[in-house]
Amino acid sequence: PSTLVVATSFEGDPASLNMANALLDRADWNKVSACDGGHIWQSAENCDVHLWLRTDSMLLHDEIDRKFEETMDLTLSDMIFLSKHASKQGLPALTVHPIGNPGRSDAQAGGKPGLCVPPSPRIAPLYRRLHSAVRGSDLSEDFPVSLEATHHGPWVHTPSLFAEIGSSEE
């Protein structure tokens, strides 16, 4: 099974593109396919890791995991979505959260009303690693690390998480 990292170059989410570019710069990747106006890379070091850089918003693409599996003829074990974090207060943060709309009768931000995607087994390890990295850095005063409640889509069948940075372009 493979891990899929999903990011976007969509103008409303510059943090996603920045995180994707950081991944592409820090390891060797091979561009393996064009799909849905985006590109899919495969890690040269771990062929079970793929990065799909899309050109549109990720929240409304229900069953994007099935699209990837059909296109690449692979089975996914988990997915990591890279995105901006937005808060009403505009406070910066690094967040990790599962996906879904529990207790909601609508799904205005994607997904299915009242349903949650299976959570990625990477949520707790990623949270601990982020917390540890920030604690020992200059970011500790400005970027608290938090586990956020699930509150948006997309709907996928594969265990998933969102990793976010925000809350403004600065």
Side-chain angles (χ1 to χ4, degrees):
S2 295
T3 296
L4 176 60
V5 179
V6 182
T8 183
S9 60
F10 177 66
E11 66 186 38
D13 194 347
S16 182
L17 180 59
N18 288 341
M19 288 186 280
N21 284 334
L23 284 176
L24 291 170
D25 289 345
R26 285 176 173 72
D28 290 328
W29 296 83
N30 300 311
K31 192 181 285 189
V32 295
S33 181
C35 184
D36 274 0
H39 295 282
I40 298 172
W41 282 267
Q42 182 178 34
S43 169
E45 289 134 21
N46 182 347
C47 63
D48 291 331
V49 177
H50 293 80
L51 170 65
W52 190 358
L53 182 57
R54 300 180 54 88
T55 57
D56 50 10
S57 173
M58 298 176 286
L59 300 182
L60 302 177
H61 283 285
D62 292 345
E63 304 206 13
I64 192 173
D65 52 343
R66 297 299 187 243
K67 175 76 173 178
F68 175 84
E69 289 175 329
E70 290 169 11
T71 299
M72 299 299 294
D73 194 27
L74 293 170
T75 300
L76 290 173
S77 59
D78 66 312
M79 297 176 69
I80 301 169
F81 292 85
L82 305 177
S83 187
K84 70 176 180 181
H85 169 72
S87 74
K88 291 178 184 174
Q89 297 83 11
L91 300 173
L94 298 169
T95 67
V96 178
H97 69 82
I99 306 172
N101 293 295
R104 296 186 70 167
S105 60
D106 66 10
Q108 293 176 345
K112 293 185 178 183
L115 296 177
C116 292
V117 169
S120 169
R122 297 177 193 262
I123 289 177
L126 179 57
Y127 172 77
R128 287 191 297 269
R129 192 162 184 191
L130 276 172
H131 203 295
S132 178
V134 168
R135 188 176 332 138
S137 76
D138 293 339
L139 294 175
S140 62
E141 296 293 320
D142 298 322
F143 279 88
V145 177
S146 69
L147 288 170
E148 194 175 39
T150 181
H151 56 281
H152 59 69
W155 172 258
V156 294
H157 303 273
T158 305
S160 300
L161 68 82
F162 261 72
E164 301 177 341
I165 184 171
S167 175
S168 70
E169 290 190 34
E170 291 90 47

